[in-house]
Amino acid sequence: MRGRILPTRRGIGLLVVGIALVVTGSALDRVELTYVGLVLGGIVVASAAVVALAPSPGRVMRSGHDDLVAVGDPLRVATAFTGGSVAFIDDAADAVSPGLAQERDDDADPRSAVSWVTPTRRGAHRIGPLRIELLSSFGAVRARRHIGGVDEILAVPPVVPLASIRARGIDEGDHPAKYDRTGHGTDNLIPRPYVAGDSMRRVHWRASAHHGDLMVREEERDQSRTAAVLVDLDPAVWADENAFDVAMTACVSVVARLLSDGFLVDVTAADGSSIATVSSRQSFDDLLRACAVLESLGQGRGLAALPADAGVVVAIGSAAPPPKSPAPHLLLTAPGGSAPPAAGWRSAPLEDDVAATWAFAIDGRAR
């Protein structure tokens, strides 16, 4: 894409000197001064024409970046370009959207632009197009162009390592709820008597011969402990965008910890609307994507309802009502929250150091 053509300081100096010589030559009737002045001005005009007509690279290839990146993690982005005239290219760098910090990385290859890009905020960000600067042979004129496409990256909240609640014995003595699901492809098969409607393909012939009756295979039901994470999206709860970003970091970090502790995690908003159900790495990536673009919404203060069948309940936000079950209840309160949690909650004020907040909550005493 053709961009602006601007004279450099040298070009401006040549124009000023050329104009002065033309005026002086005309006033003194000295043809040689006028001639030199016209030559200097002609150099600037010719340089502008050269960089304006110079061909741009025809193909831009960008590599080294991922679609998902955690806030604060640097990415090395290398952009190579082919075609066009290398002789006039003085500089090349990717344009980046606000929310991305860019640090140039010197590279000897004149046909590439390398930089380190670090997201500073959650959300979708853009890398590109490639911004190139062409400089004329005499250094009198500079042309700026934008070429190539735009790549998008999604900056997700960083996952902070948290202490295990199982190692701290928080869930000991409780009876966490179980989530029943029929396994697929498991070798732990339970034969049962045949009933009308069962497929003949499920007949377990060895068990049938052993029992003397027709038996069919039934896959053993897996049981996973469930946990609930509730996030208050009310903007009145969070002082600013940074506080809400910390809440999103706490959310994904808590879910990652509970997933590692063997829980199936339901993540919901304070009003009860579902955000994600996390049971695997793939579903956790879905949660990261959701939290990357999640915004605080006006929906009333406080948690509308608490699950009664979860083995562990974690709330992030404002004050919460009394627990409905003997399961552990952990509350990470928003900074500056005035209302104390109800009895039965282990609470801690949410700070930038999410790991310290979590450790204080699981080690503290219930109110």
Side-chain angles (χ1 to χ4, degrees), residues 132-168:
I132 63 173
E133 291 190 357
L134 283 72
L135 186 64
S136 65
S137 300
F138 294 98
V141 177
R142 185 181 299 275
R144 296 174 179 172
R145 300 178 185 175
H146 292 83
I147 61 175
V150 175
D151 289 351
E152 284 196 354
I153 63 172
L154 189 63
V156 301
V159 178
V160 178
L162 302 180
S164 171
I165 64 173
R166 301 182 68 179
R168 304 298 177 96

PDB file of all heavy atoms in Angstrom, residues 132-168:
ATOM      1  N   ILE A 132       7.190  -0.535   6.368  1.00  0.00           N
ATOM      2  CA  ILE A 132       8.529  -0.408   5.800  1.00  0.00           C
ATOM      3  C   ILE A 132       8.794   1.056   5.460  1.00  0.00           C
ATOM      4  O   ILE A 132       7.875   1.824   5.182  1.00  0.00           O
ATOM      5  CB  ILE A 132       8.714  -1.287   4.543  1.00  0.00           C
ATOM      6  CG1 ILE A 132       7.760  -0.847   3.430  1.00  0.00           C
ATOM      7  CG2 ILE A 132       8.525  -2.751   4.879  1.00  0.00           C
ATOM      8  CD1 ILE A 132       8.011  -1.554   2.112  1.00  0.00           C
ATOM      9  N   GLU A 133      10.058   1.422   5.513  1.00  0.00           N
ATOM     10  CA  GLU A 133      10.490   2.765   5.139  1.00  0.00           C
ATOM     11  C   GLU A 133      11.536   2.650   4.035  1.00  0.00           C
ATOM     12  O   GLU A 133      12.511   1.912   4.172  1.00  0.00           O
ATOM     13  CB  GLU A 133      11.064   3.515   6.337  1.00  0.00           C
ATOM     14  CG  GLU A 133      10.023   3.869   7.384  1.00  0.00           C
ATOM     15  CD  GLU A 133      10.568   4.827   8.430  1.00  0.00           C
ATOM     16  OE1 GLU A 133      11.774   5.161   8.351  1.00  0.00           O
ATOM     17  OE2 GLU A 133       9.784   5.247   9.303  1.00  0.00           O
ATOM     18  N   LEU A 134      11.302   3.384   2.946  1.00  0.00           N
ATOM     19  CA  LEU A 134      12.216   3.400   1.816  1.00  0.00           C
ATOM     20  C   LEU A 134      12.971   4.725   1.837  1.00  0.00           C
ATOM     21  O   LEU A 134      12.373   5.793   2.031  1.00  0.00           O
ATOM     22  CB  LEU A 134      11.468   3.251   0.497  1.00  0.00           C
ATOM     23  CG  LEU A 134      10.977   1.835   0.134  1.00  0.00           C
ATOM     24  CD1 LEU A 134       9.804   1.418   1.007  1.00  0.00           C
ATOM     25  CD2 LEU A 134      10.563   1.769  -1.330  1.00  0.00           C
ATOM     26  N   LEU A 135      14.273   4.659   1.627  1.00  0.00           N
ATOM     27  CA  LEU A 135      15.124   5.845   1.647  1.00  0.00           C
ATOM     28  C   LEU A 135      15.826   5.965   0.301  1.00  0.00           C
ATOM     29  O   LEU A 135      16.379   4.989  -0.223  1.00  0.00           O
ATOM     30  CB  LEU A 135      16.161   5.738   2.766  1.00  0.00           C
ATOM     31  CG  LEU A 135      17.045   6.955   3.014  1.00  0.00           C
ATOM     32  CD1 LEU A 135      16.211   8.140   3.479  1.00  0.00           C
ATOM     33  CD2 LEU A 135      18.124   6.625   4.040  1.00  0.00           C
ATOM     34  N   SER A 136      15.781   7.173  -0.284  1.00  0.00           N
ATOM     35  CA  SER A 136      16.395   7.394  -1.591  1.00  0.00           C
ATOM     36  C   SER A 136      17.917   7.296  -1.508  1.00  0.00           C
ATOM     37  O   SER A 136      18.509   7.348  -0.418  1.00  0.00           O
ATOM     38  CB  SER A 136      15.983   8.766  -2.131  1.00  0.00           C
ATOM     39  OG  SER A 136      16.504   9.799  -1.299  1.00  0.00           O
ATOM     40  N   SER A 137      18.557   7.187  -2.644  1.00  0.00           N
ATOM     41  CA  SER A 137      20.009   6.996  -2.701  1.00  0.00           C
ATOM     42  C   SER A 137      20.765   8.146  -2.055  1.00  0.00           C
ATOM     43  O   SER A 137      21.773   7.951  -1.388  1.00  0.00           O
ATOM     44  CB  SER A 137      20.454   6.840  -4.156  1.00  0.00           C
ATOM     45  OG  SER A 137      19.824   5.723  -4.752  1.00  0.00           O
ATOM     46  N   PHE A 138      20.286   9.359  -2.218  1.00  0.00           N
ATOM     47  CA  PHE A 138      20.959  10.517  -1.641  1.00  0.00           C
ATOM     48  C   PHE A 138      20.469  10.819  -0.228  1.00  0.00           C
ATOM     49  O   PHE A 138      20.909  11.783   0.383  1.00  0.00           O
ATOM     50  CB  PHE A 138      20.742  11.752  -2.527  1.00  0.00           C
ATOM     51  CG  PHE A 138      21.396  11.648  -3.878  1.00  0.00           C
ATOM     52  CD1 PHE A 138      20.669  11.255  -4.986  1.00  0.00           C
ATOM     53  CD2 PHE A 138      22.747  11.910  -4.027  1.00  0.00           C
ATOM     54  CE1 PHE A 138      21.266  11.161  -6.228  1.00  0.00           C
ATOM     55  CE2 PHE A 138      23.353  11.809  -5.264  1.00  0.00           C
ATOM     56  CZ  PHE A 138      22.615  11.424  -6.374  1.00  0.00           C
ATOM     57  N   GLY A 139      19.562   9.983   0.306  1.00  0.00           N
ATOM     58  CA  GLY A 139      19.041  10.214   1.640  1.00  0.00           C
ATOM     59  C   GLY A 139      18.203  11.454   1.746  1.00  0.00           C
ATOM     60  O   GLY A 139      18.068  12.027   2.836  1.00  0.00           O
ATOM     61  N   ALA A 140      17.597  11.895   0.639  1.00  0.00           N
ATOM     62  CA  ALA A 140      16.848  13.142   0.633  1.00  0.00           C
ATOM     63  C   ALA A 140      15.360  12.940   0.893  1.00  0.00           C
ATOM     64  O   ALA A 140      14.688  13.838   1.400  1.00  0.00           O
ATOM     65  CB  ALA A 140      17.037  13.865  -0.702  1.00  0.00           C
ATOM     66  N   VAL A 141      14.840  11.763   0.562  1.00  0.00           N
ATOM     67  CA  VAL A 141      13.393  11.516   0.665  1.00  0.00           C
ATOM     68  C   VAL A 141      13.166  10.145   1.295  1.00  0.00           C
ATOM     69  O   VAL A 141      13.889   9.191   0.995  1.00  0.00           O
ATOM     70  CB  VAL A 141      12.707  11.596  -0.720  1.00  0.00           C
ATOM     71  CG1 VAL A 141      11.224  11.277  -0.605  1.00  0.00           C
ATOM     72  CG2 VAL A 141      12.906  12.980  -1.332  1.00  0.00           C
ATOM     73  N   ARG A 142      12.163  10.085   2.145  1.00  0.00           N
ATOM     74  CA  ARG A 142      11.788   8.838   2.814  1.00  0.00           C
ATOM     75  C   ARG A 142      10.316   8.554   2.509  1.00  0.00           C
ATOM     76  O   ARG A 142       9.469   9.443   2.610  1.00  0.00           O
ATOM     77  CB  ARG A 142      11.999   8.963   4.321  1.00  0.00           C
ATOM     78  CG  ARG A 142      11.750   7.678   5.096  1.00  0.00           C
ATOM     79  CD  ARG A 142      11.960   7.917   6.584  1.00  0.00           C
ATOM     80  NE  ARG A 142      13.323   8.348   6.871  1.00  0.00           N
ATOM     81  CZ  ARG A 142      14.334   7.509   7.044  1.00  0.00           C
ATOM     82  NH1 ARG A 142      14.142   6.194   6.970  1.00  0.00           N
ATOM     83  NH2 ARG A 142      15.541   7.971   7.316  1.00  0.00           N
ATOM     84  N   ALA A 143      10.003   7.302   2.181  1.00  0.00           N
ATOM     85  CA  ALA A 143       8.629   6.876   1.916  1.00  0.00           C
ATOM     86  C   ALA A 143       8.231   5.804   2.919  1.00  0.00           C
ATOM     87  O   ALA A 143       9.017   4.890   3.206  1.00  0.00           O
ATOM     88  CB  ALA A 143       8.492   6.355   0.494  1.00  0.00           C
ATOM     89  N   ARG A 144       7.040   5.906   3.447  1.00  0.00           N
ATOM     90  CA  ARG A 144       6.527   4.941   4.416  1.00  0.00           C
ATOM     91  C   ARG A 144       5.339   4.192   3.815  1.00  0.00           C
ATOM     92  O   ARG A 144       4.418   4.797   3.288  1.00  0.00           O
ATOM     93  CB  ARG A 144       6.099   5.650   5.705  1.00  0.00           C
ATOM     94  CG  ARG A 144       7.258   6.318   6.434  1.00  0.00           C
ATOM     95  CD  ARG A 144       6.783   7.122   7.620  1.00  0.00           C
ATOM     96  NE  ARG A 144       7.902   7.750   8.323  1.00  0.00           N
ATOM     97  CZ  ARG A 144       7.760   8.627   9.306  1.00  0.00           C
ATOM     98  NH1 ARG A 144       6.536   8.972   9.716  1.00  0.00           N
ATOM     99  NH2 ARG A 144       8.817   9.158   9.885  1.00  0.00           N
ATOM    100  N   ARG A 145       5.384   2.870   3.922  1.00  0.00           N
ATOM    101  CA  ARG A 145       4.322   2.038   3.367  1.00  0.00           C
ATOM    102  C   ARG A 145       3.929   0.966   4.374  1.00  0.00           C
ATOM    103  O   ARG A 145       4.724   0.578   5.226  1.00  0.00           O
ATOM    104  CB  ARG A 145       4.770   1.379   2.061  1.00  0.00           C
ATOM    105  CG  ARG A 145       5.163   2.347   0.961  1.00  0.00           C
ATOM    106  CD  ARG A 145       5.632   1.607  -0.275  1.00  0.00           C
ATOM    107  NE  ARG A 145       6.119   2.525  -1.300  1.00  0.00           N
ATOM    108  CZ  ARG A 145       6.672   2.148  -2.440  1.00  0.00           C
ATOM    109  NH1 ARG A 145       6.803   0.836  -2.699  1.00  0.00           N
ATOM    110  NH2 ARG A 145       7.092   3.035  -3.321  1.00  0.00           N
ATOM    111  N   HIS A 146       2.707   0.481   4.234  1.00  0.00           N
ATOM    112  CA  HIS A 146       2.197  -0.633   5.039  1.00  0.00           C
ATOM    113  C   HIS A 146       1.816  -1.755   4.079  1.00  0.00           C
ATOM    114  O   HIS A 146       1.002  -1.550   3.164  1.00  0.00           O
ATOM    115  CB  HIS A 146       0.990  -0.206   5.871  1.00  0.00           C
ATOM    116  CG  HIS A 146       1.332   0.766   6.957  1.00  0.00           C
ATOM    117  ND1 HIS A 146       1.454   2.116   6.729  1.00  0.00           N
ATOM    118  CD2 HIS A 146       1.605   0.578   8.277  1.00  0.00           C
ATOM    119  CE1 HIS A 146       1.768   2.738   7.862  1.00  0.00           C
ATOM    120  NE2 HIS A 146       1.871   1.818   8.810  1.00  0.00           N
ATOM    121  N   ILE A 147       2.405  -2.918   4.287  1.00  0.00           N
ATOM    122  CA  ILE A 147       2.169  -4.044   3.383  1.00  0.00           C
ATOM    123  C   ILE A 147       1.847  -5.285   4.207  1.00  0.00           C
ATOM    124  O   ILE A 147       2.124  -5.358   5.400  1.00  0.00           O
ATOM    125  CB  ILE A 147       3.390  -4.313   2.479  1.00  0.00           C
ATOM    126  CG1 ILE A 147       4.611  -4.663   3.336  1.00  0.00           C
ATOM    127  CG2 ILE A 147       3.690  -3.119   1.589  1.00  0.00           C
ATOM    128  CD1 ILE A 147       5.830  -5.074   2.533  1.00  0.00           C
ATOM    129  N   GLY A 148       1.270  -6.278   3.528  1.00  0.00           N
ATOM    130  CA  GLY A 148       0.970  -7.545   4.188  1.00  0.00           C
ATOM    131  C   GLY A 148      -0.307  -7.490   5.001  1.00  0.00           C
ATOM    132  O   GLY A 148      -0.961  -6.453   5.142  1.00  0.00           O
ATOM    133  N   GLY A 149      -0.643  -8.629   5.574  1.00  0.00           N
ATOM    134  CA  GLY A 149      -1.878  -8.755   6.333  1.00  0.00           C
ATOM    135  C   GLY A 149      -1.680  -8.535   7.822  1.00  0.00           C
ATOM    136  O   GLY A 149      -0.622  -8.129   8.289  1.00  0.00           O
ATOM    137  N   VAL A 150      -2.732  -8.836   8.556  1.00  0.00           N
ATOM    138  CA  VAL A 150      -2.764  -8.661  10.007  1.00  0.00           C
ATOM    139  C   VAL A 150      -3.043 -10.012  10.656  1.00  0.00           C
ATOM    140  O   VAL A 150      -3.937 -10.745  10.231  1.00  0.00           O
ATOM    141  CB  VAL A 150      -3.847  -7.646  10.416  1.00  0.00           C
ATOM    142  CG1 VAL A 150      -3.972  -7.559  11.923  1.00  0.00           C
ATOM    143  CG2 VAL A 150      -3.535  -6.273   9.831  1.00  0.00           C
ATOM    144  N   ASP A 151      -2.255 -10.362  11.667  1.00  0.00           N
ATOM    145  CA  ASP A 151      -2.482 -11.571  12.449  1.00  0.00           C
ATOM    146  C   ASP A 151      -3.025 -11.179  13.819  1.00  0.00           C
ATOM    147  O   ASP A 151      -2.620 -10.164  14.391  1.00  0.00           O
ATOM    148  CB  ASP A 151      -1.190 -12.366  12.631  1.00  0.00           C
ATOM    149  CG  ASP A 151      -0.738 -13.012  11.337  1.00  0.00           C
ATOM    150  OD1 ASP A 151      -1.512 -12.975  10.369  1.00  0.00           O
ATOM    151  OD2 ASP A 151       0.379 -13.540  11.290  1.00  0.00           O
ATOM    152  N   GLU A 152      -3.946 -11.978  14.325  1.00  0.00           N
ATOM    153  CA  GLU A 152      -4.539 -11.720  15.642  1.00  0.00           C
ATOM    154  C   GLU A 152      -4.022 -12.715  16.665  1.00  0.00           C
ATOM    155  O   GLU A 152      -3.852 -13.896  16.358  1.00  0.00           O
ATOM    156  CB  GLU A 152      -6.066 -11.787  15.585  1.00  0.00           C
ATOM    157  CG  GLU A 152      -6.713 -10.577  14.947  1.00  0.00           C
ATOM    158  CD  GLU A 152      -8.201 -10.500  15.260  1.00  0.00           C
ATOM    159  OE1 GLU A 152      -8.722 -11.450  15.880  1.00  0.00           O
ATOM    160  OE2 GLU A 152      -8.835  -9.505  14.873  1.00  0.00           O
ATOM    161  N   ILE A 153      -3.748 -12.224  17.849  1.00  0.00           N
ATOM    162  CA  ILE A 153      -3.417 -13.091  18.975  1.00  0.00           C
ATOM    163  C   ILE A 153      -4.384 -12.779  20.106  1.00  0.00           C
ATOM    164  O   ILE A 153      -4.899 -11.655  20.214  1.00  0.00           O
ATOM    165  CB  ILE A 153      -1.962 -12.912  19.441  1.00  0.00           C
ATOM    166  CG1 ILE A 153      -1.730 -11.483  19.945  1.00  0.00           C
ATOM    167  CG2 ILE A 153      -0.990 -13.264  18.340  1.00  0.00           C
ATOM    168  CD1 ILE A 153      -0.363 -11.310  20.599  1.00  0.00           C
ATOM    169  N   LEU A 154      -4.643 -13.761  20.921  1.00  0.00           N
ATOM    170  CA  LEU A 154      -5.546 -13.592  22.054  1.00  0.00           C
ATOM    171  C   LEU A 154      -4.721 -13.683  23.327  1.00  0.00           C
ATOM    172  O   LEU A 154      -4.128 -14.723  23.627  1.00  0.00           O
ATOM    173  CB  LEU A 154      -6.637 -14.667  22.041  1.00  0.00           C
ATOM    174  CG  LEU A 154      -7.773 -14.481  23.048  1.00  0.00           C
ATOM    175  CD1 LEU A 154      -8.544 -13.199  22.759  1.00  0.00           C
ATOM    176  CD2 LEU A 154      -8.714 -15.679  23.025  1.00  0.00           C
ATOM    177  N   ALA A 155      -4.673 -12.585  24.055  1.00  0.00           N
ATOM    178  CA  ALA A 155      -3.940 -12.545  25.317  1.00  0.00           C
ATOM    179  C   ALA A 155      -4.850 -13.025  26.434  1.00  0.00           C
ATOM    180  O   ALA A 155      -5.883 -12.409  26.713  1.00  0.00           O
ATOM    181  CB  ALA A 155      -3.440 -11.130  25.605  1.00  0.00           C
ATOM    182  N   VAL A 156      -4.489 -14.135  27.048  1.00  0.00           N
ATOM    183  CA  VAL A 156      -5.315 -14.751  28.087  1.00  0.00           C
ATOM    184  C   VAL A 156      -4.722 -14.432  29.455  1.00  0.00           C
ATOM    185  O   VAL A 156      -3.540 -14.095  29.576  1.00  0.00           O
ATOM    186  CB  VAL A 156      -5.400 -16.280  27.875  1.00  0.00           C
ATOM    187  CG1 VAL A 156      -5.997 -16.597  26.515  1.00  0.00           C
ATOM    188  CG2 VAL A 156      -4.019 -16.920  28.005  1.00  0.00           C
ATOM    189  N   PRO A 157      -5.541 -14.513  30.507  1.00  0.00           N
ATOM    190  CA  PRO A 157      -4.991 -14.278  31.852  1.00  0.00           C
ATOM    191  C   PRO A 157      -3.898 -15.290  32.176  1.00  0.00           C
ATOM    192  O   PRO A 157      -4.015 -16.468  31.832  1.00  0.00           O
ATOM    193  CB  PRO A 157      -6.213 -14.466  32.765  1.00  0.00           C
ATOM    194  CG  PRO A 157      -7.396 -14.275  31.886  1.00  0.00           C
ATOM    195  CD  PRO A 157      -6.981 -14.772  30.529  1.00  0.00           C
ATOM    196  N   PRO A 158      -2.829 -14.872  32.823  1.00  0.00           N
ATOM    197  CA  PRO A 158      -1.768 -15.810  33.172  1.00  0.00           C
ATOM    198  C   PRO A 158      -2.221 -16.771  34.261  1.00  0.00           C
ATOM    199  O   PRO A 158      -2.993 -16.402  35.154  1.00  0.00           O
ATOM    200  CB  PRO A 158      -0.641 -14.898  33.671  1.00  0.00           C
ATOM    201  CG  PRO A 158      -1.335 -13.663  34.150  1.00  0.00           C
ATOM    202  CD  PRO A 158      -2.533 -13.490  33.261  1.00  0.00           C
ATOM    203  N   VAL A 159      -1.746 -18.004  34.185  1.00  0.00           N
ATOM    204  CA  VAL A 159      -2.065 -19.020  35.177  1.00  0.00           C
ATOM    205  C   VAL A 159      -0.964 -19.029  36.234  1.00  0.00           C
ATOM    206  O   VAL A 159       0.187 -19.311  35.929  1.00  0.00           O
ATOM    207  CB  VAL A 159      -2.212 -20.411  34.535  1.00  0.00           C
ATOM    208  CG1 VAL A 159      -2.498 -21.464  35.595  1.00  0.00           C
ATOM    209  CG2 VAL A 159      -3.315 -20.394  33.485  1.00  0.00           C
ATOM    210  N   VAL A 160      -1.341 -18.709  37.459  1.00  0.00           N
ATOM    211  CA  VAL A 160      -0.390 -18.640  38.563  1.00  0.00           C
ATOM    212  C   VAL A 160      -0.423 -19.972  39.315  1.00  0.00           C
ATOM    213  O   VAL A 160      -1.508 -20.453  39.669  1.00  0.00           O
ATOM    214  CB  VAL A 160      -0.734 -17.481  39.512  1.00  0.00           C
ATOM    215  CG1 VAL A 160       0.230 -17.432  40.686  1.00  0.00           C
ATOM    216  CG2 VAL A 160      -0.742 -16.165  38.753  1.00  0.00           C
ATOM    217  N   PRO A 161       0.724 -20.596  39.567  1.00  0.00           N
ATOM    218  CA  PRO A 161       0.733 -21.846  40.349  1.00  0.00           C
ATOM    219  C   PRO A 161       0.208 -21.591  41.765  1.00  0.00           C
ATOM    220  O   PRO A 161       0.658 -20.675  42.451  1.00  0.00           O
ATOM    221  CB  PRO A 161       2.209 -22.251  40.365  1.00  0.00           C
ATOM    222  CG  PRO A 161       2.824 -21.531  39.215  1.00  0.00           C
ATOM    223  CD  PRO A 161       2.075 -20.242  39.087  1.00  0.00           C
ATOM    224  N   LEU A 162      -0.746 -22.418  42.188  1.00  0.00           N
ATOM    225  CA  LEU A 162      -1.345 -22.284  43.510  1.00  0.00           C
ATOM    226  C   LEU A 162      -1.119 -23.545  44.326  1.00  0.00           C
ATOM    227  O   LEU A 162      -0.904 -24.634  43.778  1.00  0.00           O
ATOM    228  CB  LEU A 162      -2.855 -22.007  43.390  1.00  0.00           C
ATOM    229  CG  LEU A 162      -3.273 -20.778  42.591  1.00  0.00           C
ATOM    230  CD1 LEU A 162      -4.790 -20.656  42.574  1.00  0.00           C
ATOM    231  CD2 LEU A 162      -2.645 -19.509  43.151  1.00  0.00           C
ATOM    232  N   ALA A 163      -1.208 -23.391  45.634  1.00  0.00           N
ATOM    233  CA  ALA A 163      -1.049 -24.532  46.534  1.00  0.00           C
ATOM    234  C   ALA A 163      -2.232 -25.480  46.396  1.00  0.00           C
ATOM    235  O   ALA A 163      -3.366 -25.064  46.170  1.00  0.00           O
ATOM    236  CB  ALA A 163      -0.930 -24.037  47.974  1.00  0.00           C
ATOM    237  N   SER A 164      -1.965 -26.768  46.547  1.00  0.00           N
ATOM    238  CA  SER A 164      -3.006 -27.785  46.421  1.00  0.00           C
ATOM    239  C   SER A 164      -3.887 -27.801  47.662  1.00  0.00           C
ATOM    240  O   SER A 164      -3.396 -27.768  48.796  1.00  0.00           O
ATOM    241  CB  SER A 164      -2.374 -29.158  46.214  1.00  0.00           C
ATOM    242  OG  SER A 164      -3.334 -30.176  46.291  1.00  0.00           O
ATOM    243  N   ILE A 165      -5.194 -27.846  47.440  1.00  0.00           N
ATOM    244  CA  ILE A 165      -6.101 -27.940  48.589  1.00  0.00           C
ATOM    245  C   ILE A 165      -6.099 -29.356  49.160  1.00  0.00           C
ATOM    246  O   ILE A 165      -6.378 -29.557  50.338  1.00  0.00           O
ATOM    247  CB  ILE A 165      -7.530 -27.511  48.211  1.00  0.00           C
ATOM    248  CG1 ILE A 165      -8.123 -28.451  47.168  1.00  0.00           C
ATOM    249  CG2 ILE A 165      -7.553 -26.084  47.700  1.00  0.00           C
ATOM    250  CD1 ILE A 165      -9.579 -28.189  46.885  1.00  0.00           C
ATOM    251  N   ARG A 166      -5.760 -30.336  48.331  1.00  0.00           N
ATOM    252  CA  ARG A 166      -5.705 -31.710  48.832  1.00  0.00           C
ATOM    253  C   ARG A 166      -4.492 -31.884  49.734  1.00  0.00           C
ATOM    254  O   ARG A 166      -4.544 -32.565  50.745  1.00  0.00           O
ATOM    255  CB  ARG A 166      -5.657 -32.685  47.671  1.00  0.00           C
ATOM    256  CG  ARG A 166      -6.849 -32.578  46.730  1.00  0.00           C
ATOM    257  CD  ARG A 166      -6.795 -33.594  45.616  1.00  0.00           C
ATOM    258  NE  ARG A 166      -6.964 -34.943  46.116  1.00  0.00           N
ATOM    259  CZ  ARG A 166      -6.982 -36.025  45.340  1.00  0.00           C
ATOM    260  NH1 ARG A 166      -6.808 -35.899  44.037  1.00  0.00           N
ATOM    261  NH2 ARG A 166      -7.151 -37.221  45.843  1.00  0.00           N
ATOM    262  N   ALA A 167      -3.376 -31.224  49.345  1.00  0.00           N
ATOM    263  CA  ALA A 167      -2.184 -31.321  50.181  1.00  0.00           C
ATOM    264  C   ALA A 167      -2.392 -30.634  51.524  1.00  0.00           C
ATOM    265  O   ALA A 167      -1.796 -31.011  52.528  1.00  0.00           O
ATOM    266  CB  ALA A 167      -0.993 -30.696  49.459  1.00  0.00           C
ATOM    267  N   ARG A 168      -3.269 -29.612  51.541  1.00  0.00           N
ATOM    268  CA  ARG A 168      -3.548 -28.911  52.800  1.00  0.00           C
ATOM    269  C   ARG A 168      -4.639 -29.601  53.609  1.00  0.00           C
ATOM    270  O   ARG A 168      -4.958 -29.167  54.702  1.00  0.00           O
ATOM    271  CB  ARG A 168      -3.969 -27.465  52.514  1.00  0.00           C
ATOM    272  CG  ARG A 168      -2.954 -26.678  51.706  1.00  0.00           C
ATOM    273  CD  ARG A 168      -1.635 -26.533  52.402  1.00  0.00           C
ATOM    274  NE  ARG A 168      -0.647 -25.828  51.595  1.00  0.00           N
ATOM    275  CZ  ARG A 168      -0.380 -24.531  51.681  1.00  0.00           C
ATOM    276  NH1 ARG A 168      -1.035 -23.801  52.551  1.00  0.00           N
ATOM    277  NH2 ARG A 168       0.535 -23.986  50.914  1.00  0.00           N
TER     278      ARG A 168
END
